[in-house]
Amino acid sequence: KSSLDEKKCRQSFEVLNALIKISQDSDGYFYRGRTKYLCKADFEGAFKDLNKAISIQPNNSEYFYFRGLANDLYGKREEAINDFNKAIDLNPSKHYYYYALGITFYNLGQYKDSETQLTNSLSMNNYRLNGYTGNTYNFTWTYRSLLNRARARRHLKKYLSGISDLNLAIKECLN
């Protein structure tokens, strides 16, 4: 099932194809590749476009992040880890890069690495836990990071820490 409806996907492809014909810039390839990924329309084409964008602009962390998401979804988890690490090297201030890396480690059964990366994500994005309220976007990332870190901690037999994460997640929902 598509993340975007079919009509929006088709319209996006038309605009992005025209943009690429005109400019051949990295953003056109990136957005077309990202759209193919989000529409779940053409994974091989998504990789081709994302690779092209990276070849044009190799210092753009978002390009590596989205290719990492595509690699993870496609089951290429080692490649996803490499892409997420490259994104972090290029821009270490994006909490969601650490989150994605933590989820990929979890999917590989590398629970200690998962816990570490989810903790990194939380340390950068715990606005509400530090008294900041009103930002739904940050709430969602904090909540998801806490739940997934609790899952990793369960596998590591860190039950009390996992329960603490679950309690904090519940607190997030109540605020």
Side-chain angles (χ1 to χ4, degrees):
K1 186 175 177 182
S2 175
S3 299
L4 301 174
D5 72 44
E6 191 175 320
K7 182 178 178 183
K8 287 181 183 176
C9 288
R10 192 174 51 255
Q11 291 170 339
S12 295
F13 288 135
E14 289 172 9
V15 170
L16 292 166
N17 287 335
L19 174 67
I20 289 170
K21 282 182 183 179
I22 294 168
S23 68
Q24 296 285 311
D25 76 343
S26 61
D27 283 343
Y29 288 104
F30 167 69
Y31 287 114
R32 186 173 69 182
R34 188 177 79 164
T35 301
K36 287 176 181 177
Y37 161 76
L38 292 172
C39 292
K40 298 180 180 159
D42 176 9
F43 284 116
E44 290 304 319
F47 285 116
K48 183 178 177 184
D49 285 343
L50 292 169
N51 289 337
K52 179 72 172 177
I54 288 169
S55 74
I56 294 169
Q57 195 175 358
N59 292 322
N60 189 312
S61 62
E62 287 292 306
Y63 295 178
F64 285 97
Y65 168 70
F66 269 95
R67 190 174 70 180
L69 291 176
N71 274 322
D72 188 55
L73 186 63
Y74 206 60
K76 300 160 126 185
R77 298 232 158 76
E78 293 300 328
E79 290 92 336
I81 288 170
N82 291 336
D83 283 337
F84 294 140
N85 279 325
K86 180 66 175 177
I88 290 167
D89 288 344
L90 291 169
N91 188 349
S93 66
K94 302 284 187 175
H95 65 87
Y96 52 91
Y97 294 175
Y98 298 92
Y99 175 84
L101 183 57
I103 295 302
T104 301
F105 278 132
Y106 183 89
N107 290 334
L108 285 169
Q110 297 176 17
Y111 304 117
K112 181 64 182 153
D113 292 329
S114 176
E115 177 190 35
T116 298
Q117 296 308 323
L118 292 167
T119 299
N120 288 339
S121 177
L122 283 163
S123 70
M124 300 172 73
N125 186 44
N126 63 359
Y127 302 102
R128 191 180 295 260
L129 296 174
N130 285 330
Y132 177 83
T133 59
N135 189 323
T136 303
Y137 174 79
N138 290 321
F139 157 75
T140 300
W141 283 106
T142 301
Y143 177 78
R144 290 169 66 190
S145 295
L146 286 166
L147 288 180
N148 284 296
R149 188 173 69 176
R151 291 173 58 216
R153 287 179 166 173
R154 178 178 57 88
H155 288 284
L156 295 169
K157 300 188 183 333
K158 295 182 176 181
Y159 301 117
L160 292 178
S161 296
I163 290 169
S164 176
D165 284 346
L166 293 174
N167 285 331
L168 287 170
I170 291 168
K171 180 180 169 185
E172 283 288 291
C173 289
L174 298 175
N175 282 336

